[in-house]
Amino acid sequence: MSRYTAKEIESKWQSAWDAAETFKAVRDSRPKYYVLEMFPYPSGRIHMGHVRNYTMGDVISRYKSSCGFSVLHPMGWDAFGMPAENAAMEQGGHPKDWTYSNIADMRDQMKPLGLSIDWSREFATCDPEYYGQQQAMFIDFMEKGLVYRKNATVNWDPVDMTVLANEQVIDGMGWRSGAPVERRDLTQWFFKISDFSEELLDAIDGLDSWPDKVKLMQRNWIGKSRGLQFSFSLAEGPHGHDRVEVYTTRPDTLMGASFIGISPDHPLARMLERENQDIADFNAECRRMGTSEEYLEKAEKKGFDTGLICRHPFDTSWELPVYIANFILMDYGTGAIFGCPAHDQRDLDFARKYGLDVIDTFVALDDGRPVEYEAFVPPKTEKVRWTRAFGWGVEATGSEAIDAAIAFCESNGVGQGVTKFRLRDWGLSRQRYWGCPIPVVHCDDCGVVAENKENLPVRLPDDVAFDKPGNPLDRHPTWRDTTCPSCGKPAKRETDTMDTFVDSSWYFARFTSPRAESPTSAEDAAYWMNVDQYIGGIEHAILHLLYSRFFARAMHVCGHLPKFATEPFDALFTQGMVTHEIYVTRDDKDRPVYHLPEHIEWHESGARLGATGAPVQVIASAKMSKSKKNVVDPVNIISAYGADTARWFVLSDSPPERDVEWTASGADAAFKHLSRVYRLATEAVTEDAAEEGPQGADEALLREMHKTIHDVTMGIESFGFNAAIARLYAFTNTIARAKPGSATRRDAIRTLAHLMSPMTPHLAEEIWAMLGGQGLLARAPWPRADPAMLVEDTVTLPIQINGKRRSEITVARDLGKDEIEKRVLADPAVLKALGDGAPKKLIVVPRRIVNVVT
RNA sequence: GCGGGCGUGAUGGAAUGGUAGACAUACCAGACUUAAAAUCUGUUGGGCCGUGUGCCCGUGUGGGUUCGAGUCCCACCGCCCGCACCA
């Protein structure tokens, strides 16, 4: 008997699939199915998260293909981004070489997985053929008014003289220089995603096959709010400032206002800092902070009393102090707020810190105590008792009061109700080399001019060095100099490149026609769009998906996508991460040094470093990441066990949407199981082909087979891969116990292989061929369960007494309720519990359960 | 801080509001073997004594809704994801 040799089997069938062009996506008369996994960043090594992500997509792809769909399942590379530049700075070399060599490495690591990918459609976003089309679209967007320039704040590292990403700012310091980061204003390019705020929000309702949590996160992110915009008049404002404009979503708390807060970047604050050194110092301190919302929210709330006084709009003798506060962003609303400490925790903390009034405007219906150190913020739908209402009753909900307050203010000439969105325009400028150049020229005479489309792509120059900080495009001797596309005079190229989110916002559309001379081709887009099933990490729930939804709309406006593709992902599945323990030692400065799992040895005293024997600290499992080195290399797993084992393992045990922890024993178990299936098949080939097994046994096995077909099919359809696999384990056990030699059993083994084929395609092909299957299994139609075989004649009903299981009866499947009740009341356990009395209640759920209430 | 999610045996997990722990791992025991590996079979949430188709407890903690809650609601604790220049 031969052993299960994955390596031979896998390369054999991969060659067979290649030779038959099994996975080439073709437009034909079949219904199409487009399955897409979020494409990877080419870090150079695939990791288990990739294996899990692509295996899930592969299961869907192979399954849909066998259900008769023409499947598109492409792969590409999200190839621009900072790591390539960082590598160039740290190790020398060129980002381009680094990236393409990583892509080659990763492709080599992925191919042995046997994924049903149409590799002929592969591209990288750093291919000029791709980013040139992106530049063409950028110009189209400009023409449609979807792009503009404005000032925006960035993190500036004053030592490295460079812009830092938020993740490069650690505790307010630059990650490389360690210098305190400053905020700086730069003129930047923006996409007008805000034009689509309402539309992007409303369309979420139509995304039936998206997870609710993602839809909720997107809704909250877009953040539609209705509020009141009005102004406080300044008692004695500095030159030119007689009022402060504010926006509030809680105008109902206006009678609880106790201070006005303005951003350090508010025009009023900027004016004051010119005259007052203390204010200048305070604002400067604020500007030394990071720019991320998270950072600002977590930072200690600080304010500076400007000494200015605002008058309350309802009572001009009511005076409110004006503070500059570090937590107010100029980008939001008007850059100014009024504080109502009684009903906002942040305002309350601020008020307590600076000794400001706390004025309740409402109290709980059943608790009239005033606010002390915990703001009273009930849900807006809860009725409360108003102590300082204007224009509504004593008892009202927050929502009712807000509406009434807006109406009252409008009719009294105090501001007006406005709808605002939290969603800000998408700043796409990056002061970096390794990205898609923004195809624009700055001309002294013509201003900002789009490059002519026939000059695209605007290619990145290759002759750049990364020995100095900053953007090499800025100091490139010749690339920057060009001629104006409009007047022909000498002009300068834009040196900003695009956010890498731009690259990933339309790659799904490009896959439908990856070699087209325009961004998309109408026929291909019409046939292949939309993505029927998109699969990726929950970490992309907001930005990537929102940007893609915007891009699809903008592309439609420019004629690059049909109307129906403006919502490009019909169904979305967010898979969990692959996690692993982290191994860490400390260097002489007590900084953490991480180690790969393969370098760890286990001793009785605990984990030690294989090379030196140094003790290793084991930290709880976390997402596998290069920086923490808690990665298991799929290549090692594939060479040890084979791709099918790796695929089987990442799908088993954990539900796909949840994290899965990689364990060596789990991989071992998967391999054992596949070996067992292989052995069952080889044994079946050599067994005497006895005609039939015992009548009853065959019938039972057949029933089990059809049930398994049904359950596995449902499992795949609903992303219950782990449940489907558990079912396949159970079916394998059933087959193993069945009497060998029967034709039914042989059928069962072949069906087992067929049902396993989306997960373990190589092993399945091997068994299929072994047991006389015709042609490639990858092309065989999916097995169908016979509905008649799924129905049992009898069902076992558990009997609960007062909600606790006490007995059970087996009855005919379609037995009537009355008859069931009769039998239940005759059950010994029920009789015992009831004594002489009748049950208080008898609940019969047909085919499910019976509950007797005494 | 804000928004979203998750929490079940020793472990990964299963369970349309209906028998909690399927399936797998690990451990232990047995079969086969000179032995080991491999393979096969079986036990395993906790407690109780009355050893039964027994009883009680048990799905992060505390409440609630229901004939019935792992599942729905409220509060709390812990962990994870996102927070607009990481991809």
Side-chain angles (χ1 to χ4, degrees):
Chain A
M1 188 204 320
S2 57
R3 275 174 54 93
Y4 169 48
T5 48
K7 209 167 235 170
E8 286 167 31
I9 292 173
E10 289 174 2
S11 61
K12 176 168 83 181
W13 292 107
Q14 282 169 22
S15 306
W17 295 327
D18 281 351
E21 296 199 320
T22 316
F23 310 124
K24 196 167 171 64
V26 285
R27 270 167 43 198
D28 58 26
S29 57
R30 289 175 294 169
K32 68 90 191 181
Y33 195 91
Y34 183 2
V35 56
L36 181 69
E37 303 100 47
M38 291 178 185
F39 67 164
Y41 179 80
S43 61
R45 306 294 298 175
I46 62 166
H47 55 68
M48 279 300 163
H50 294 127
V51 174
R52 193 174 190 217
N53 188 209
Y54 306 137
T55 303
M56 285 178 196
D58 204 45
V59 170
I60 300 292
S61 163
R62 287 172 178 273
Y63 167 72
K64 286 291 175 183
S65 172
S66 71
C67 289
F69 289 89
S70 168
V71 170
L72 171 58
H73 185 208
M75 182 56 65
W77 311 95
D78 188 13
F80 276 134
M82 294 200 304
E85 282 188 47
N86 292 335
M89 278 178 231
E90 282 157 21
Q91 305 149 29
H94 194 284
K96 184 173 162 183
D97 300 334
W98 184 87
T99 302
Y100 279 105
S101 118
N102 280 353
I103 288 173
D105 289 348
M106 281 181 84
R107 192 193 302 112
D108 286 349
Q109 294 160 37
M110 272 167 80
K111 288 235 168 149
L113 281 168
L115 301 168
S116 61
I117 287 169
D118 179 358
W119 285 100
S120 73
R121 290 172 186 257
E122 176 189 357
F123 60 76
T125 55
C126 63
D127 295 342
E129 295 74 22
Y130 182 81
Y131 71 71
Q133 298 300 338
Q134 187 164 302
Q135 291 168 338
M137 281 200 295
F138 184 91
I139 293 167
D140 292 340
F141 286 13
M142 283 176 83
E143 282 167 8
K144 297 289 182 186
L146 293 169
V147 187
Y148 69 102
R149 298 211 305 161
K150 71 169 177 183
N151 276 347
T153 312
V154 296
N155 301 306
W156 180 256
D157 186 320
V159 171
D160 278 351
M161 304 290 280
T162 187
V163 176
L164 298 179
N166 283 334
E167 71 155 12
Q168 297 173 318
V169 180
I170 296 155
D171 297 329
M173 311 291 172
W175 69 337
R176 247 190 265 274
S177 69
V181 167
E182 295 169 8
R183 283 195 232 165
R184 195 172 262 217
D185 271 0
L186 294 180
T187 303
Q188 310 242 59
W189 288 94
F190 283 82
F191 285 128
K192 284 207 85 179
I193 191 172
S194 62
D195 274 4
F196 295 84
S197 300
E198 187 91 56
E199 149 84 18
L200 286 166
L201 180 67
D202 292 345
I204 291 172
D205 293 338
L207 299 173
D208 296 328
S209 299
W210 281 41
D212 287 337
K213 62 181 170 187
V214 174
K215 290 195 274 187
L216 189 54
M217 281 191 260
Q218 293 229 345
R219 282 193 188 99
N220 289 340
W221 185 262
I222 294 168
K224 183 177 182 175
S225 68
R226 180 160 166 78
L228 182 74
Q229 186 153 337
F230 67 104
S231 47
F232 289 95
S233 61
L234 270 171
E236 284 171 36
H239 194 69
H241 285 87
D242 57 354
R243 59 214 192 96
V244 178
E245 187 89 3
V246 300
Y247 171 75
T248 177
T249 57
R250 293 308 299 263
D252 54 318
T253 64
L254 188 47
M255 291 303 286
S258 70
F259 66 93
I260 308 298
I262 63 173
S263 162
D265 297 316
H266 192 277
L268 180 57
R270 289 200 182 263
M271 171 164 282
L272 290 171
E273 75 183 23
R274 286 202 285 273
E275 293 156 12
N276 182 322
Q277 190 54 44
D278 290 340
I279 291 178
D281 292 345
F282 180 80
N283 287 353
E285 191 194 321
C286 292
R287 288 185 198 116
R288 273 197 292 275
M289 300 198 308
T291 56
S292 79
E293 189 177 329
E294 182 191 5
Y295 187 92
L296 294 173
E297 290 286 339
K298 279 185 183 162
E300 190 193 348
K301 309 295 179 292
K302 284 186 185 165
F304 188 96
D305 187 353
T306 61
L308 297 176
I309 297 295
C310 273
R311 293 204 181 87
H312 197 281
F314 293 172
D315 176 0
T316 49
S317 68
W318 183 352
E319 298 185 332
L320 300 158
V322 178
Y323 278 77
I324 300 172
N326 65 354
F327 56 88
I328 301 171
L329 271 184
M330 198 53 220
D331 290 346
Y332 293 170
T334 60
I337 58 141
F338 76 79
C340 176
H343 306 296
D344 182 290
Q345 191 60 46
R346 191 174 61 183
D347 291 350
L348 182 63
D349 295 343
F350 192 86
R352 292 301 180 205
K353 185 167 181 173
Y354 295 104
L356 302 167
D357 296 337
V358 177
I359 307 159
D360 297 88
T361 64
F362 55 82
V363 292
L365 290 181
D366 56 356
D367 180 1
R369 284 179 299 173
V371 163
E372 287 186 36
Y373 290 95
E374 196 176 324
F376 180 47
V377 193
K380 283 182 197 169
T381 50
E382 190 178 307
K383 259 198 163 65
V384 291
R385 185 182 318 284
W386 292 82
T387 51
R388 295 172 74 85
F390 48 100
W392 61 94
V394 174
E395 281 187 17
T397 66
S399 304
E400 291 162 356
I402 290 167
D403 290 342
I406 291 172
F408 180 91
C409 289
E410 281 183 339
S411 63
N412 285 276
V414 179
Q416 55 185 336
V418 290
T419 296
K420 277 199 196 285
F421 292 90
R422 206 185 77 98
L423 180 65
R424 309 198 296 256
D425 277 332
W426 173 7
L428 68 113
S429 289
R430 296 293 180 270
Q431 292 69 42
R432 280 183 245 290
Y433 165 80
W434 192 234
C436 171
I438 293 173
V440 155
V441 169
H442 298 270
C443 171
D444 284 343
D445 293 345
C446 309
V448 180
V449 187
E451 181 58 270
N452 285 324
K453 278 197 180 172
E454 52 271 27
N455 294 337
L456 300 183
V458 175
R459 287 172 182 266
L460 287 169
D462 288 335
D463 53 335
V464 288
F466 293 87
D467 48 352
K468 286 178 226 148
N471 183 354
L473 295 178
D474 266 339
R475 50 171 194 267
H476 191 280
T478 54
W479 184 84
R480 220 189 143 169
D481 299 325
T482 185
T483 51
C484 172
S486 174
C487 69
K489 283 190 198 156
K492 300 269 184 211
R493 282 198 190 286
E494 170 68 61
T495 58
D496 282 359
T497 52
M498 296 188 205
D499 180 5
T500 56
F501 270 123
V502 181
D503 312 333
S504 56
S505 290
W506 71 286
Y507 77 109
F508 49 87
R510 183 69 182 169
F511 273 138
T512 64
S513 191
R515 312 291 172 237
E517 300 281 320
S518 49
T520 57
S521 104
E523 277 190 334
D524 286 312
Y527 181 79
W528 290 115
M529 288 301 285
N530 291 337
V531 177
D532 293 276
Q533 182 66 61
Y534 196 32
I535 307 169
I538 184 70
E539 67 271 24
H540 296 294
I542 297 175
L543 292 178
H544 162 62
L545 291 167
L546 191 63
Y547 289 156
S548 297
R549 296 177 62 218
F550 159 71
F551 236 76
R553 283 164 174 77
M555 284 172 76
H556 169 64
V557 169
C558 302
H560 296 305
L561 275 180
K563 174 74 181 157
F564 73 82
T566 49
E567 208 50 80
F569 310 121
D570 280 353
L572 172 72
F573 186 87
T574 53
Q575 107 267 8
M577 303 172 301
V578 180
T579 65
H580 198 282
E581 289 176 328
I582 297 169
Y583 308 107
V584 59
T585 56
R586 300 272 160 181
D587 69 5
D588 50 6
K589 286 177 185 156
D590 204 39
R591 287 174 305 204
V593 180
Y594 297 100
H595 303 281
L596 290 166
E598 63 210 63
H599 294 158
I600 303 301
E601 286 176 8
W602 291 91
H603 300 265
E604 278 178 24
S605 53
R608 288 177 180 276
L609 204 55
T612 64
V616 171
Q617 192 190 351
V618 181
I619 305 180
S621 266
K623 177 181 178 172
M624 285 189 181
S625 77
K626 233 180 139 185
S627 62
K628 297 273 161 59
K629 289 198 176 173
N630 60 334
V631 289
V632 172
D633 197 329
V635 170
N636 296 342
I637 300 301
I638 292 168
S639 62
Y641 297 107
D644 282 340
T645 293
R647 295 169 57 117
W648 185 261
F649 175 77
V650 293
L651 294 175
S652 61
D653 287 352
S654 252
E657 68 276 12
R658 237 192 274 177
D659 294 351
V660 62
E661 165 141 27
W662 181 271
T663 59
S665 62
D668 215 48
F671 180 75
K672 270 189 203 172
H673 176 74
L674 300 189
S675 303
R676 188 180 182 212
V677 172
Y678 181 79
R679 201 172 50 245
L680 282 172
T682 51
E683 284 167 6
V685 169
T686 53
E687 279 156 11
D688 295 336
E691 295 308 308
E692 289 294 320
Q695 193 73 51
D698 268 12
E699 170 78 11
L701 184 57
L702 212 53
R703 276 187 178 276
E704 191 63 20
M705 183 177 99
H706 282 275
K707 265 194 218 156
T708 306
I709 293 172
H710 175 263
D711 291 353
V712 170
T713 305
M714 298 313 282
I716 292 174
E717 292 264 2
S718 65
F719 273 84
F721 303 130
N722 57 325
I725 282 180
R727 201 65 192 73
L728 287 166
Y729 269 114
F731 187 42
T732 308
N733 286 335
T734 307
I735 293 173
R737 288 190 190 109
K739 193 173 177 315
S742 79
T744 307
R745 187 166 182 269
R746 196 166 307 180
D747 258 7
I749 294 171
R750 203 168 54 190
T751 303
L752 172 68
H754 204 154
L755 294 174
M756 286 170 71
S757 68
M759 296 88 162
T760 57
H762 314 87
L763 174 64
E765 287 280 7
E766 183 73 13
I767 294 175
W768 178 259
M770 211 186 282
L771 295 179
Q774 292 299 302
L776 283 173
L777 178 55
R779 289 247 167 94
W782 190 249
R784 280 171 180 276
D786 177 357
M789 299 293 273
L790 301 178
V791 187
E792 296 283 357
D793 299 336
T794 59
V795 288
T796 300
L797 296 178
I799 299 176
Q800 293 182 332
I801 295 170
N802 295 327
K804 286 189 174 146
R805 187 190 165 281
R806 287 289 183 263
S807 184
E808 62 182 35
I809 49 170
T810 302
V811 299
R813 182 183 155 78
D814 296 320
L815 195 68
K817 250 187 177 181
D818 294 349
E819 187 62 26
I820 292 174
E821 282 186 19
K822 222 190 270 176
R823 294 218 205 157
V824 165
L825 292 175
D827 185 88
V830 175
L831 287 174
K832 194 176 146 202
L834 286 175
D836 318 323
K840 229 182 247 168
K841 210 169 184 181
L842 188 57
I843 292 136
V844 177
V845 184
R847 292 173 207 171
R848 273 276 171 205
I849 203 164
V850 178
N851 193 7
V852 183
V853 186
T854 60

